[in-house]
Amino acid sequence: MAGILILGEIEGDALGSITGELATVGQALAATSGDEVAVALLGGTPDSFAGDAIAAGADKVYTVADPLLADGQIDAYLSAFEQAVQQTSPSVVLIGKTELGRDLGPRLAFRMGVGVAQDCVELSVDESTGRVSALRPVYGGNAMAKVTFQGDGIQIAVVRPKTTEAPEPDTSRTGETQALSVELESSVIKARRVDTVTQASEGVRLEDATIVVSGGRGLGGEEPFETLAGLASMLGGAMGASRAACDAGWLDHSYQVGLTGKTITPDLYITVAISGASQHMAGCSGAKHVVAINRDQDANIFKSCSYGVVGDWNKVLPAFIETVSELINS
Ligand SMILES: Cc1cc2nc3c(=O)[nH]c(=O)nc-3n(C[C@H](O)[C@H](O)[C@H](O)COP(=O)(O)OP(=O)(O)OC[C@H]3O[C@@H](n4cnc5c(N)ncnc54)[C@H](O)[C@@H]3O)c2cc1C
């Protein structure tokens, strides 16, 4: 059987948004091939999320339940998902470039003796061969490469989160759910998770925020980020940062936006003292509107922004915050 198989992800007590994003990508590929889009849900009790996966765009859901899959051990996931792929024989496998997927994708490809397209930001079907083509950033985000799968083996693509919008759940969608049985031995688990540290975060998550305010190295230190955090919270958004600011130790790397940080797709992205290096822009190219404050009129960020202010943030930011505050309170 040919088809598209997605590695679904369950985050806590909800279906991970990457599952809906991949279902959207899968349905777009299937529009050409007519393939069925299936989601494999692995976990301790994955059945309860099957309806959500169908509402998110799956035509079919395969559930794989095993106690060894309950606590997210990658070796157990890899073994179970490999067996799910063998049993369902898809032509395309879609995996999110998440904490789990970025490792699982290449390991699965190696085991199956096929190639993998990592860090894809766009997938399409090559008209001449019918094979999947993937667009991926290369040379540290300075160029995009289009690669097309050759031969007739399984095509495995690891897709960057937030490059496609997850659809609003459509509860009127219907689909079949089928339980797969796999053989899992605890001996497959070579790496063990010894601890989980949950980072406390206030307000909206950076990846989910519709408004993000980010600061860069030009802020000169840790303290101005408190002002940015205040602005972000005033706007009901989240704060981000450039890698240079995180590397300087002013903020934790969980705030980093960019190629090696988080991909964000806010409606409004306000950058303060960020140069707009390609590696930073790779993480925010999906922002609908970019506002930039930078004292260098030739800064790269001005090529990508809808509104730009050339000036010292020390002068521009207080006036900006005052105006935002007036508008919010009026
Ligand atoms: C493989 C690789 C991956 C990378 N991944 C990432 C990534 O994920 N995210 C990321 O951000 N970077 C990433 N980088 C680093 C990236 O190339 C840049 O070095 C980084 O984004 C620069 O951060 P910045 O804009 O804060 O600092 P700078 O480039 O130092 O820019 C600071 C800006 O602040 C402005 N400024 C200074 N003072 C003021 C002032 N008083 N008022 C107003 N403006 C002022 C300056 O004009 C300048 O434009 C990566 C690099 C590589 C090689």
Side-chain angles (χ1 to χ4, degrees):
M1 185 190 86
I4 296 170
L5 182 66
I6 290 165
L7 174 65
E9 291 197 35
I10 297 162
E11 286 172 12
D13 56 3
L15 190 73
S17 68
I18 187 69
T19 311
E21 293 168 31
L22 294 180
T24 306
V25 174
Q27 290 292 358
L29 295 176
T32 314
S33 62
D35 278 341
E36 181 179 66
V37 177
V39 166
L41 287 177
L42 285 59
T45 49
D47 294 40
S48 48
F49 301 96
D52 293 342
I54 290 166
D59 298 322
K60 184 167 188 173
V61 175
Y62 294 110
T63 56
V64 183
D66 192 290
L68 284 178
L69 297 166
D71 56 358
Q73 299 285 4
I74 184 169
D75 294 324
Y77 266 75
L78 176 62
S79 176
F81 190 55
E82 183 187 11
Q83 292 176 60
V85 171
Q86 280 161 347
Q87 288 178 34
T88 59
S89 305
S91 59
V92 179
V93 171
L94 301 180
I95 297 169
K97 193 189 165 197
T98 56
E99 198 186 327
L100 172 73
R102 70 173 77 213
D103 285 348
L104 191 143
R107 288 178 67 183
L108 177 70
F110 176 77
R111 283 178 174 222
M112 308 212 81
V114 297
V116 59
Q118 276 275 54
D119 200 17
C120 306
V121 295
E122 198 180 303
L123 295 179
S124 57
V125 177
D126 182 72
E127 276 180 20
S128 57
T129 61
R131 305 287 283 166
V132 171
S133 287
L135 202 62
R136 14 186 332 257
V138 288
Y139 302 121
N142 284 307
M144 300 299 281
K146 190 171 188 180
V147 293
T148 302
F149 284 94
Q150 294 187 330
D152 55 8
I154 295 179
Q155 306 159 90
I156 301 178
V158 179
V159 180
R160 194 189 282 201
K162 301 289 175 194
T163 46
T164 303
E165 218 161 301
E168 282 298 316
D170 177 358
T171 47
S172 67
R173 294 188 86 254
T174 53
E176 190 192 336
T177 302
Q178 184 185 334
L180 298 179
S181 90
V182 299
E183 282 180 22
L184 271 187
E185 298 286 335
S186 56
S187 59
V188 299
I189 300 179
K190 305 290 183 209
R192 288 192 184 274
R193 182 183 301 211
V194 290
D195 195 9
T196 303
V197 179
T198 307
Q199 190 182 17
S201 74
E202 283 173 21
V204 59
R205 280 200 328 162
L206 179 55
E207 304 91 305
D208 302 329
T210 52
I211 299 179
V212 174
V213 183
S214 277
R217 177 155 45 198
L219 286 180
E222 209 170 321
E223 217 180 292
F225 280 95
E226 285 170 24
T227 311
L228 287 201
L231 175 60
S233 124
M234 199 190 287
L235 292 165
M239 185 174 71
S242 72
R243 176 161 149 181
C246 297
D247 283 350
W250 302 336
L251 284 177
D252 184 83
H253 278 279
S254 58
Y255 287 93
Q256 185 184 318
V257 172
L259 185 67
T260 45
K262 292 191 170 143
T263 303
I264 56 168
T265 52
D267 294 335
L268 176 62
Y269 186 42
I270 302 171
T271 71
V272 186
I274 287 183
S275 59
S278 59
Q279 296 89 356
H280 184 82
M281 301 316 288
C284 58
S285 56
K288 294 198 180 71
H289 302 284
V290 177
V291 173
I293 300 172
N294 195 303
R295 69 177 175 194
D296 175 8
Q297 62 175 3
D298 296 324
N300 198 48
I301 190 78
F302 288 127
K303 293 185 191 147
S304 317
C305 70
S306 330
Y307 303 97
V309 183
V310 178
D312 188 331
W313 66 265
N314 290 289
K315 291 188 185 144
V316 179
L317 199 56
F320 186 82
I321 292 174
E322 199 182 315
T323 307
V324 169
S325 166
E326 276 170 19
L327 288 170
I328 286 175
N329 296 321
S330 65

